[in-house]
Amino acid sequence: MKLSNRIALVTGGTSGIGLEVAKLFRDQGARVIVTGVDQTRLDAASRELGGGVLVLRADLRLAGELDKVFDQIRQKFARLDVLFANAGVGLAATLDAVTEKQIDEQFAVNFKGIFFTVQKAAPLMAKGGSIVLTTSFLNAVGSPGLSILSATKAAVRSLARSLGAELAPRGIRVNAVSPGPISTPFHSKLGLSEKELREAAGAIQARVPLHRFGEADEVAKAVLFLASEDASFITGSEIVVDGGLTQF
Ligand SMILES: NC(=O)c1ccc[n+]([C@@H]2O[C@H](COP(=O)([O-])OP(=O)(O)OC[C@H]3O[C@@H](n4cnc5c(N)ncnc54)[C@H](OP(=O)(O)O)[C@@H]3O)[C@@H](O)[C@H]2O)c1
């Protein structure tokens, strides 16, 4: 048990990578809280995770909703040991087609949402606390049509370093996990047609040295490592889980 009696919050824990992390944290002894927005996915996650996991609806774009999550954690547990700030969205658009609304939407969730989640979590955390942020392989390589999503993830990579430096004096570690292409519902939300999606998936898979998409549980194992005491001397770092995509 790597997280015995630890209190762990997983944002975007109702789907994909976050859901696998929530299951692994639960199985490793943590008291887990997950957040999401879509009610159908919240209900399904609640059934899948079981009664021991607290499932909360919170749109991370809204500071007031985040406050409610942390009020509940404060009341129920009085502290937080692990934060996996993972919720994210992506919208595909080429340079000529990007709109201001798309930029605002992606930065609101992927950057501002993560920043304020960490800001509000930090006062509940003590020495030994661990924060893991989700970045992406897109912060290291250029991909046509994904300029804004990639920029949000580069910003989050930067946050792991600067907030890691700010929280290090308190003994709280901040790291990032950088997934490559992972089989989750994320891709179906990019706004691409079925055909575009198939072509993009084929092209990206061909670029991955291990020649496949990764699975959410393969990312979850890296997150567990960073969240646990196994990574006690690691902060400001990023673990890349991308089948070699950004390395060769
Ligand atoms: N899958 C990949 O290939 C890949 C690659 C690199 C990085 N990533 C990153 O990995 C993270 C998890 O993505 P995933 O692949 O697991 O995708 P996913 O299955 O679509 O999960 C995304 C999660 O974020 C939540 N979310 C979205 N907007 C939100 C908002 N405004 N407020 C609160 N929660 C919100 C979703 O909740 P609802 O379902 O309720 O909307 C969902 O739980 C993201 O940050 C993504 O950028 C994914």
Side-chain angles (χ1 to χ4, degrees), residues 1-95:
M1 290 283 190
K2 303 266 185 202
L3 297 177
S4 274
N5 300 318
R6 308 285 275 171
I7 312 297
L9 170 63
V10 178
T11 71
T14 54
S15 176
I17 294 167
L19 182 58
E20 284 306 312
V21 167
K23 285 188 216 160
L24 188 57
F25 281 7
R26 175 201 62 192
D27 295 346
Q28 291 293 324
R31 299 292 309 275
V32 181
I33 305 106
V34 304
T35 68
V37 184
D38 179 86
Q39 196 56 51
T40 310
R41 282 190 284 276
L42 283 162
D43 294 342
S46 195
R47 282 192 300 274
E48 198 166 341
L49 290 167
V53 174
L54 185 60
V55 179
L56 301 175
R57 188 182 186 286
D59 186 334
L60 303 187
R61 292 171 298 185
L62 307 172
E65 298 211 356
L66 262 179
D67 284 335
K68 280 191 210 151
V69 170
F70 288 105
D71 284 348
Q72 291 202 51
I73 293 173
R74 197 175 293 110
Q75 276 163 25
K76 203 168 162 58
F77 304 105
R79 67 172 210 279
L80 188 67
D81 303 305
V82 172
L83 167 65
F84 181 39
N86 161 74
V89 292
L91 295 166
T94 49
L95 173 62

Side-chain angles (χ1 to χ4, degrees), residues 137 140-141 178 207 209 238-248:
F137 71 100
V141 293
S178 174
R207 280 171 57 197
E238 180 182 65
I239 293 189
V240 178
V241 187
D242 72 351
L245 176 58
T246 55
Q247 307 304 316
F248 312 137

Side-chain angles (χ1 to χ4, degrees), residues 48-214:
E48 198 166 341
L49 290 167
V53 174
L54 185 60
V55 179
L56 301 175
R57 188 182 186 286
D59 186 334
L60 303 187
R61 292 171 298 185
L62 307 172
E65 298 211 356
L66 262 179
D67 284 335
K68 280 191 210 151
V69 170
F70 288 105
D71 284 348
Q72 291 202 51
I73 293 173
R74 197 175 293 110
Q75 276 163 25
K76 203 168 162 58
F77 304 105
R79 67 172 210 279
L80 188 67
D81 303 305
V82 172
L83 167 65
F84 181 39
N86 161 74
V89 292
L91 295 166
T94 49
L95 173 62
D96 52 312
V98 170
T99 62
E100 194 176 354
K101 188 163 177 269
Q102 290 174 349
I103 294 176
D104 289 346
E105 168 68 16
Q106 291 173 89
F107 271 93
V109 182
N110 296 4
F111 179 72
K112 257 175 63 180
I114 287 208
F115 181 88
F116 285 118
T117 303
V118 176
Q119 185 194 61
K120 290 168 196 292
L124 283 170
M125 299 183 90
K127 188 170 186 230
S130 174
I131 297 172
V132 183
L133 315 177
T134 304
T135 56
S136 169
F137 71 100
L138 293 169
N139 67 15
V141 293
S143 275
L146 296 174
S147 58
I148 307 306
L149 170 58
S150 305
T152 67
K153 295 300 188 177
V156 177
R157 173 66 189 95
S158 168
L159 277 187
R161 290 197 174 97
S162 32
L163 300 183
E166 278 196 40
L167 293 172
R170 290 181 49 201
I172 298 170
R173 298 178 296 105
V174 185
N175 290 290
V177 67
S178 174
I182 308 296
S183 302
T184 73
F186 188 84
H187 307 276
S188 61
K189 303 173 190 168
L190 285 167
L192 297 172
S193 67
E194 278 296 317
K195 182 169 172 285
E196 288 170 328
L197 206 52
R198 255 198 323 277
E199 283 170 6
I204 192 85
Q205 188 159 315
R207 280 171 57 197
V208 177
L210 292 181
H211 280 302
R212 64 175 176 88
F213 270 57

